[in-house]
Amino acid sequence: MTRLAILFASAAALPLLASAHGGALHVAQQQPPVQVTTTDLGDGIYMLQGRGGNLGVLDGEDGVFVIDSQYDDMAFQNLYAIGEITNDVPHYLVNTHWHGDHVGGNAKFEDVGALIIAHDNVRERVSTDQTMSIAGTERDVSASPVEAWPVITFDDDMTLHLNGQTVRLVHLPEAHTDGDTMIVFEDANVFHMGDVMFSGMFPFIDIGSGGSVEGYLAALQKAYDMADETTKIIPGHGPLSTREDIAMLRDMLADARDAVQAEIDAGKSLEQTLDARPLEPWVDDWASAFMTEPRFTTILYSDLSQAD
């Protein structure tokens, strides 16, 4: 039985196995399956959306190339969805950064034969215990199993030639984290921006992992300059996007930065800045359940006050 056939059989059996084991199946984590939706972008490229960061897939004779793996408990569903598209398993997996909603499925992807590629800093972070801080709330993150570690890493940029595409892996320093990679399919004019693109929402800037407001803005500007009006943008989170969506996120972030900086310049503490609500003009259009107004204000204040 081939690995693909085993995968399909395993995925098809998930609901039955979960029921037979009283809902205790690890993959399901006692949660109903999350539907994975697929968007065909042409040229053998697809965007997959489930729970966690958006995946990218490039199919072709040279093998299946995948961007990100979401959470561990989404791995079988994502592998099944990839198999339905390609009739194959992933041969290559690139991680856009180290967060669990983008690398959590790595070990299961590696188990079916995927070669994992990422920036040097991604391997450093997934291979060691980390403490993740989101607006002052800290969470310990244990090192991933060795099977989940990237086996090919790079320092700056890397170029791959697969399935008729020139695929550029572009490091975006000090942006969302210190290990962000934007994947550019040059021939198809498709970008996967990882979490340097939270489309239509306040972004998470992980200062504790080497991210910064200015680095995030620089990364958005770089992506904008590389794109054109026909570029299809796969964001880390949110719907399929365009160059104009990059511009709107960039402009909002620059204005929000300036609004919080004005409070800092006035000598206000974090608590006073939260009370002043400098981000109120953007809340209706940009706040989300994850990145709320107070949380985003705190991130901006923390980074900008350190820079002063």
Side-chain angles (χ1 to χ4, degrees):
M1 197 175 195
T2 66
R3 287 179 299 175
L4 182 64
I6 293 170
L7 170 64
F8 269 55
S10 299
L14 281 178
L16 295 176
L17 286 170
S19 176
H21 291 272
L25 187 67
H26 174 65
V27 171
Q29 288 192 343
Q30 300 182 353
Q31 297 177 9
V34 175
Q35 182 178 359
V36 178
T37 60
T38 300
T39 303
D40 186 347
L41 306 183
D43 297 291
I45 301 172
Y46 302 84
M47 178 175 76
L48 274 60
Q49 296 174 285
R51 188 175 70 85
N54 295 330
L55 273 62
V57 176
L58 170 65
D59 186 27
E61 294 181 356
D62 297 326
V64 179
F65 174 87
V66 180
I67 304 167
D68 283 341
S69 62
Q70 289 186 352
Y71 291 105
D72 174 71
D73 62 5
M74 284 295 299
F76 282 128
Q77 287 153 271
N78 283 317
L79 288 167
Y80 185 76
I82 292 166
E84 287 191 308
I85 297 168
T86 67
N87 198 35
D88 206 347
V89 293
H91 297 82
Y92 309 94
L93 172 66
V94 171
N95 292 142
T96 59
H97 61 289
W98 78 276
H99 289 157
D101 60 326
H102 295 260
V103 305
N106 277 17
K108 290 186 174 68
F109 277 60
E110 191 274 342
D111 190 50
V112 300
L115 182 71
I116 305 175
I117 305 168
H119 187 266
D120 292 338
N121 292 338
V122 174
R123 180 180 168 93
E124 174 63 26
R125 291 192 180 278
V126 301
S127 63
T128 57
D129 293 344
Q130 300 288 311
T131 299
M132 189 172 178
S133 177
I134 304 177
T137 301
E138 292 191 347
R139 176 170 63 90
D140 292 333
V141 181
S142 299
S144 299
V146 66
E147 302 82 40
W149 300 359
V151 297
I152 295 178
T153 63
F154 60 96
D155 180 39
D156 192 6
D157 296 351
M158 175 184 285
T159 301
L160 306 175
H161 302 276
L162 294 169
N163 302 326
Q165 293 291 326
T166 299
V167 185
R168 290 187 60 198
L169 311 184
V170 181
H171 179 220
L172 301 172
E174 300 178 355
H176 173 61
T177 68
D178 58 9
D180 297 302
T181 295
M182 176 173 65
I183 294 85
V184 177
F185 299 100
E186 289 190 342
D187 305 271
N189 198 18
V190 174
F191 295 5
H192 190 306
M193 291 181 59
D195 279 4
V196 179
M197 183 71 179
F198 280 72
S199 188
M201 62 190 84
F202 288 149
F204 171 35
I205 302 173
D206 188 352
I207 300 167
S209 294
S212 69
V213 175
E214 293 305 321
Y216 205 106
L217 282 167
L220 289 170
Q221 187 61 52
K222 182 169 185 173
Y224 180 84
D225 292 342
M226 292 175 65
D228 61 34
E229 64 276 2
T230 66
T231 305
K232 297 174 183 177
I233 308 291
I234 302 174
H237 297 271
L240 185 68
S241 301
T242 66
R243 186 176 190 244
E244 181 58 27
D245 293 313
I246 298 176
M248 289 191 291
L249 177 59
R250 177 200 62 199
D251 294 347
M252 179 280 296
L253 180 56
D255 290 344
R257 172 203 60 191
D258 293 346
V260 173
Q261 185 66 58
E263 303 296 329
I264 295 172
D265 293 344
K268 292 186 180 179
S269 66
L270 173 59
E271 292 72 19
Q272 290 170 326
T273 299
L274 289 168
D275 289 341
R277 298 193 63 195
L279 301 189
E280 185 176 9
W282 299 279
V283 169
D284 288 345
D285 292 332
W286 294 91
S288 66
F290 169 64
M291 194 50 60
T292 61
E293 176 191 1
R295 182 173 281 181
F296 191 49
T297 303
T298 300
I299 288 173
L300 294 179
Y301 186 98
S302 298
D303 186 43
L304 295 172
S305 59
Q306 290 175 7
D308 287 352

